[in-house]
Amino acid sequence: MAESVYMDNNATTCLRREVLEEMMPYFTDIFGNGSSKFYETGRKAQNAIYEARRKVAELIGASVNEVYFTASGCESDNWAIKGVASAYKDKGNHIITSSIEHHAVLSSCEYLEKHGFEVTYLPVDENGRVDPDDVRSAITDKTILISIMTVNNEIGTIQPIKEIAGIAKEKKVIFHTDAVQAGGHMPLDVKELGVDMMSLSAHKFHGPKGVGMLYIRNGVKTDNLIHGGGQERGKRAATENTAGIVGFASALEIAVRDMDKNTEKMRMMRDRLINGIKERIPYCRLNGPSGDLRLCNNVNFSFRYIEGESILMLLDMKGICASSGSACASGSLDPSHVLLAIGLPHEIAHGSLRLSVSEFTTDEEVDYVLEVLPPIIQRLRDMSPLYENIEK
Ligand SMILES: *Cc1c(COP(=O)(O)O)cnc(C)c1O
């Protein structure tokens, strides 16, 4: 077994070797600027970017001129939300989203609230699912945008995106989905799903960090977030990240090619972790749905009477990389907004652990986690006064 066991693939994934090899020439020999078409190294970069865009378009069922590369999933989400809000402000000022979106979406919406927009944050059920009927009843004649994530990054809930997209279309409201966590793990055909905009990020499917994509259906207007040169059809300035874009396309191509085989493998490891934890550890709760309604690689548990942070520290000492539901990106001690939204009380939300596998995870690593985790939980509970009362 490797030195460390990486079980945090919902945070980021390792870069695939073959992808790195595809990218390498664009760091070295072919370093030209994709906008410099009067000499060969520039033309080669331009061609590589075009080829990557064509490939990504084909993989998501879009046209080549509907694919825009960005610098991250966060940027794609920010652009979709602020860009549409700005372009359609004369039509209305109302946006609908869910209470369990990624902070890239939630904070963009909060920013817009400070600038005259009104946002409805829809509740979710105990498994984190948005009810399409709630979306329908939240729509007013001022609604210009609906943004609901395809898959939740903390608890793995898969949303009824196609149904919600249908409602948005019927009501003539633009529909964006943050599909960052779904990318490479689920078929994502924009025409089949019926979405108007979709965000992806390469580092969640074994591509490089720092490159994202926004699908914008032809006919949807968006104001620029980044002004400057004429790159990305004049909609997103900045010299193209040639190597990153090549890596994005290569990683997505491989993920889609091997999707059936790899997601089946991940699903088996996920379920072995879920069932193994339930069997071995009392007073635990699986957060998020089970079976086909759950992302193939995500496991999220709350363990009563203890703190998620302490679990992570002890797991780290055993070489296991995982993530907690309570540690939010800002480093504050607030429990996860997702766990609160599915109805967990603060004290239970605090004791949460997310484990997420990839196709590179091995069965031995799953066994190791199942062996190491129960004594860690027991050790922490033995130190907890709350637990002492329960045991009596
Ligand atoms: C990781 C993630 C993002 C952010 O993507 P970055 O490329 O890291 O900026 C956005 N939304 C979801 C659901 C994510 O999981």
Side-chain angles (χ1 to χ4, degrees):
M1 197 159 49
E3 286 275 298
S4 78
V5 173
Y6 187 75
M7 291 262 174
D8 204 10
N9 288 280
N10 291 153
T12 194
T13 60
C14 64
L15 180 62
R16 199 187 285 277
R17 278 257 146 227
E18 305 99 282
V19 172
L20 176 64
E21 271 153 31
E22 292 264 331
M23 294 168 66
M24 277 310 269
Y26 301 96
F27 287 116
T28 51
D29 300 342
I30 314 170
F31 62 84
N33 187 319
S35 303
S36 309
K37 51 177 179 282
F38 291 105
Y39 47 80
E40 173 131 23
T41 182
R43 278 194 299 271
K44 278 189 173 166
Q46 194 172 51
N47 288 342
I49 294 163
Y50 180 79
E51 190 46 38
R53 201 185 304 279
R54 196 197 53 73
K55 207 183 268 181
V56 171
E58 195 179 303
L59 292 166
I60 63 167
S63 307
V64 67
N65 58 9
E66 294 174 316
V67 170
Y68 297 86
F69 290 109
T70 66
S72 65
C74 281
E75 187 194 325
S76 299
D77 287 344
N78 272 263
W79 185 16
I81 291 163
K82 295 174 189 170
V84 165
S86 167
Y88 290 88
K89 61 179 181 301
D90 293 337
K91 189 167 172 254
N93 69 341
H94 181 233
I95 295 169
I96 299 169
T97 188
S98 86
S99 49
I100 65 165
E101 297 296 308
H102 190 273
H103 284 294
V105 168
L106 290 178
S107 301
S108 294
C109 287
E110 285 157 16
Y111 166 83
L112 289 173
E113 281 181 295
K114 288 192 206 127
H115 291 85
F117 288 86
E118 279 173 27
V119 182
T120 302
Y121 302 91
L122 294 175
V124 293
D125 71 10
E126 70 280 7
N127 286 324
R129 200 166 177 278
V130 173
D131 184 343
D133 287 336
D134 286 349
V135 177
R136 184 185 290 279
S137 26
I139 298 173
T140 71
D141 55 1
K142 292 271 181 260
T143 310
I144 51 172
L145 175 69
I146 299 169
S147 178
I148 305 285
M149 69 203 316
T150 310
V151 173
N152 182 268
N153 49 304
E154 291 188 35
I155 58 172
T157 313
I158 298 173
Q159 300 293 359
I161 289 306
K162 197 173 165 175
E163 232 179 304
I164 298 171
I167 294 168
K169 186 167 186 190
E170 183 193 318
K171 300 283 188 181
K172 298 191 168 59
V173 177
I174 293 165
F175 181 59
H176 164 254
T177 189
D178 172 349
V180 173
Q181 207 57 243
H185 296 97
M186 278 167 59
L188 291 173
D189 183 300
V190 292
K191 297 281 171 345
E192 160 73 18
L193 290 170
V195 301
D196 297 309
M197 306 176 97
M198 180 172 83
S199 305
L200 288 178
S201 179
H203 76 97
K204 299 287 172 79
F205 48 83
H206 302 292
K209 290 170 184 53
V211 54
M213 185 223 69
L214 183 63
Y215 158 74
I216 307 176
R217 185 174 62 70
N218 281 334
V220 171
K221 288 185 286 181
T222 42
D223 284 351
N224 287 26
L225 195 64
I226 307 212
H227 299 92
Q231 291 91 351
E232 302 297 319
R233 308 180 73 224
K235 293 201 190 199
R236 198 265 181 193
T239 300
E240 296 90 345
N241 172 5
T242 315
I245 289 169
V246 166
F248 184 111
S250 164
L252 188 60
E253 186 176 40
I254 297 173
V256 170
R257 182 192 71 198
D258 298 341
M259 189 180 290
D260 289 347
K261 177 175 81 178
N262 288 336
T263 53
E264 186 51 33
K265 184 185 169 200
M266 286 185 250
R267 219 169 267 124
M268 282 170 66
M269 292 189 294
R270 173 198 72 184
D271 290 342
R272 231 154 57 70
L273 280 169
I274 291 177
N275 296 328
I277 290 171
K278 279 184 181 162
E279 277 164 22
R280 289 169 178 78
I281 306 178
Y283 310 114
C284 71
R285 176 193 198 279
L286 175 68
N287 297 315
S290 40
D292 290 344
L293 292 174
R294 187 179 195 103
L295 178 64
C296 61
N297 71 352
N298 169 285
V299 175
N300 187 311
F301 272 97
S302 291
F303 301 101
R304 294 184 83 131
Y305 317 117
I306 55 178
E307 292 277 335
E309 244 86 322
S310 331
I311 310 174
L312 292 187
M313 272 167 48
L314 296 185
L315 282 175
D316 179 45
M317 287 167 71
K318 296 284 185 186
I320 298 167
C321 313
S323 145
S324 147
S326 66
C328 95
S330 66
S332 89
L333 284 174
D334 292 339
S336 140
H337 65 290
V338 178
L339 297 178
L340 296 180
I342 61 171
L344 295 199
H346 275 246
E347 68 275 14
I348 296 179
H350 265 303
S352 301
L353 174 72
R354 181 183 72 184
L355 297 164
S356 43
V357 299
S358 80
E359 65 192 82
F360 297 107
T361 308
T362 64
D363 279 323
E364 292 77 56
E365 290 176 327
V366 170
D367 289 336
Y368 179 64
V369 170
L370 288 175
E371 176 197 317
V372 164
L373 185 61
I376 286 179
I377 303 293
Q378 192 55 49
R379 192 175 144 198
L380 292 169
R381 282 180 175 165
D382 287 343
M383 297 187 293
S384 155
L386 289 165
Y387 186 65
E388 208 172 301
N389 291 339
I390 294 297
E391 286 297 274
K392 275 181 196 157

